[in-house]
Amino acid sequence: MRSLLLILALILVSKTSNAQSISKNRLIGKWALVTKTDSFPDDIKPLEVNNSTSKLKKDSKEKLKTTLTFKKDNKIFINQMGNEYSATYKLIDSTLTLGNRKYIIVEIDKKKLIYKDKDGLFDNHYEYKKLE
């Protein structure tokens, strides 16, 4: 009986680690941000700067350009509107850790990645499409 339980436990661990490696393999590559959404109420208008020539107001309407490049060695390269960063990432079950920030993977396949803030105030969702 004990050996049967041991065999079942080994099978369960094997299947779990195999599913996690499939998700990690799908993550490898370059991703471009398509949309970012949040649960911030629509009836509350964001603050605006009174000076219409302000760079802040102009920049807030520009499209956010962000790419993430996941490498096999658990390194990630982030390019956000020309600013480049490098960090490490970790994937455990559906929790994706980028540097010191944690996210929950909502969906991942060969062409689409959607994750959301873990314990975020406004429940931000990020959708990416795969470039490579």
Side-chain angles (χ1 to χ4, degrees):
M1 182 68 170
R2 189 175 270 176
S3 62
L4 180 61
L5 288 174
L6 180 62
I7 291 172
L8 288 174
L10 289 174
I11 291 172
L12 182 61
V13 168
S14 168
K15 296 238 183 238
T16 303
S17 65
N18 189 25
Q20 189 168 333
S21 66
I22 290 170
S23 293
K24 183 177 177 184
N25 288 339
R26 287 185 181 160
L27 202 56
I28 304 299
K30 188 171 187 177
W31 298 84
L33 182 64
V34 177
T35 59
K36 176 186 172 192
T37 58
D38 60 42
S39 62
F40 195 75
D42 291 334
D43 60 340
I44 299 175
K45 294 184 180 184
L47 296 175
E48 291 186 10
V49 178
N50 289 336
N51 183 357
S52 63
T53 60
S54 171
K55 185 176 183 334
L56 178 63
K57 187 173 180 183
K58 180 183 174 196
D59 286 349
S60 67
K61 294 189 176 189
E62 290 182 11
K63 187 175 181 181
L64 181 65
K65 295 179 184 174
T66 301
T67 60
L68 305 176
T69 305
F70 292 91
K71 302 287 187 178
K72 289 181 182 179
D73 62 355
N74 291 349
K75 300 241 191 249
I76 181 170
F77 297 99
I78 303 164
N79 185 325
Q80 188 172 34
M81 296 173 60
N83 297 314
E84 295 182 346
Y85 310 95
S86 138
T88 58
Y89 73 91
K90 183 170 42 172
L91 180 63
I92 299 175
D93 297 327
S94 64
T95 301
L96 175 63
T97 304
L98 302 177
N100 61 359
R101 309 244 359 222
K102 293 188 181 214
Y103 302 93
I104 296 174
I105 293 181
V106 176
E107 180 180 345
I108 185 169
D109 61 29
K110 293 179 182 180
K111 297 183 181 191
K112 185 183 348 180
L113 168 64
I114 301 174
Y115 62 79
K116 67 179 186 170
D117 288 332
K118 185 173 184 176
D119 304 323
L121 181 60
F122 294 113
D123 198 25
N124 294 323
H125 280 70
Y126 305 87
E127 180 177 343
Y128 289 82
K129 69 176 181 177
K130 194 159 198 179
L131 299 176
E132 297 175 2

